[in-house]
Amino acid sequence: MQDGRAEPPKGTLYRRVAADLREAIAAGEYGSGGRLPAESALAERYGVSRGTIRQALGALRADGLVTSRRGTRRVVLGTARVQSFAELVSFTHWARSLGEEPGGRVERVERRLADAREREQLRLEPGAEVVLVLRVRTLSGRPVMVERSLYPLWVGELVARIPPDAVSHTEPLQEHGVVFADADHTIDLVVADADDARLLGCEAGDALLRERRRSTDPAGTPVEWSEDRYLPGTVAFTVHNSIATSALARRHRRSD
């Protein structure tokens, strides 16, 4: 990184190192479970201090890419693409930020009466209708996620008019005044059903990473209740906590 040009501000050095290491990890240079070079070797390679290297490794640790043990060579935990809950972004925006080409294809649109749980999540009255949209999402042509989005009827009717192969639903909805301002997320595991197996190329019964999300508009009105199922190893989620505000709630499920 010492090539005769003016040095960037110190605060950006570790970000440049982290970005380079992140690209190498994503490319599989170190392999899952492999070890990064020692801090001293990395400092020499990049022409920076060991303190800068520690900051870069801290950023990778926060992304869930390497272990957090200090004083030892960091172990690569995996090459999954990382999505942060620090800000609410669409799948399309997130994929493009990683240099991936997002894709989507609607498989089914179903209009029906909402059941009790759906009415609770979307704050609907008895007898209200909803629109369920089943869609497969891709990264650079590879299926990675099945999306089941449930909308109040007024939003669902807008979604039903979007072309089935549209890359983004969020952007055209925003053009109609539907803004996804806030969301609550729940992450767990679920077994793949027949639709998941057909769309993702896995086996029915395989474990998938599930994200359930309820999105609200700026007024706090629910506009979407979605369940996204990801193939293992294709995405990881990060959550930042502080003593002032906590974005993560831990729940323990007891078996009867």
Side-chain angles (χ1 to χ4, degrees):
M1 298 181 74
Q2 294 178 337
D3 53 8
R5 294 176 293 182
E7 284 293 316
K10 289 186 177 180
T12 65
L13 280 174
Y14 84 91
R15 294 188 179 92
R16 291 176 58 183
V17 173
D20 189 73
L21 289 172
R22 193 178 287 111
E23 289 181 6
I25 290 172
E29 183 174 326
Y30 300 105
S32 183
R35 292 182 180 274
L36 293 180
E39 289 181 0
S40 57
L42 289 172
E44 182 176 354
R45 176 195 297 181
Y46 291 104
V48 298
S49 69
R50 292 184 64 170
T52 297
I53 294 298
R54 292 191 187 104
Q55 284 183 290
L57 294 174
L60 298 180
R61 182 181 67 244
D63 285 347
L65 294 178
V66 299
T67 55
S68 59
R69 292 186 62 187
R70 190 170 178 177
T72 62
R73 289 171 60 190
R74 275 29 174 227
V75 176
V76 176
L77 297 176
T79 59
R81 302 160 184 87
V82 177
Q83 181 175 2
S84 174
F85 287 151
E87 58 179 332
L88 183 60
V89 296
S90 68
F91 178 92
T92 299
H93 179 83
W94 167 73
R96 287 172 175 163
S97 73
L98 299 175
E100 296 275 3
E101 183 60 36
R105 183 180 72 253
V106 172
E107 293 289 319
R108 185 168 71 245
V109 178
E110 177 184 339
R111 175 174 170 173
R112 56 173 170 77
L113 288 175
D115 62 28
R117 190 181 184 200
E118 293 164 352
R119 291 199 304 270
E120 178 184 3
Q121 291 292 331
L122 294 175
R123 300 179 195 164
L124 301 175
E125 297 295 328
E129 290 185 297
V130 292
V131 174
L132 173 66
V133 178
L134 175 68
R135 185 162 61 143
V136 61
R137 307 304 306 273
T138 62
L139 289 177
S140 300
R142 177 180 174 229
V144 297
M145 184 259 280
V146 172
E147 180 181 80
R148 293 169 172 83
S149 296
L150 196 74
Y151 300 99
L153 185 58
W154 69 278
V155 180
E157 289 179 333
L158 294 173
V159 174
R161 293 201 290 267
I162 299 173
D165 59 350
V167 173
S168 174
H169 282 183
T170 302
E171 293 172 3
L173 284 176
Q174 287 178 338
E175 294 174 1
H176 286 86
V178 181
V179 177
F180 298 85
D182 297 279
D184 296 315
H185 306 264
T186 302
I187 307 295
D188 60 5
L189 293 177
V190 68
V191 296
D193 63 16
D195 280 332
D196 299 325
R198 174 174 59 86
L199 296 173
L200 295 176
C202 61
E203 297 291 333
D206 284 355
L208 301 176
L209 180 65
R210 177 171 67 173
E211 177 208 356
R212 285 176 288 179
R213 179 183 64 258
R214 186 178 70 169
S215 303
T216 56
D217 66 12
T221 303
V223 290
E224 176 198 42
W225 187 37
S226 185
E227 179 179 307
D228 303 341
R229 299 183 178 191
Y230 292 86
L231 281 172
T234 59
V235 66
F237 295 100
T238 65
V239 180
H240 172 73
N241 296 120
S242 73
I243 195 171
T245 59
S246 177
L248 175 66
R250 295 181 179 85
R251 294 185 179 182
H252 175 59
R253 296 186 61 185
R254 297 181 179 276
S255 58
D256 296 331

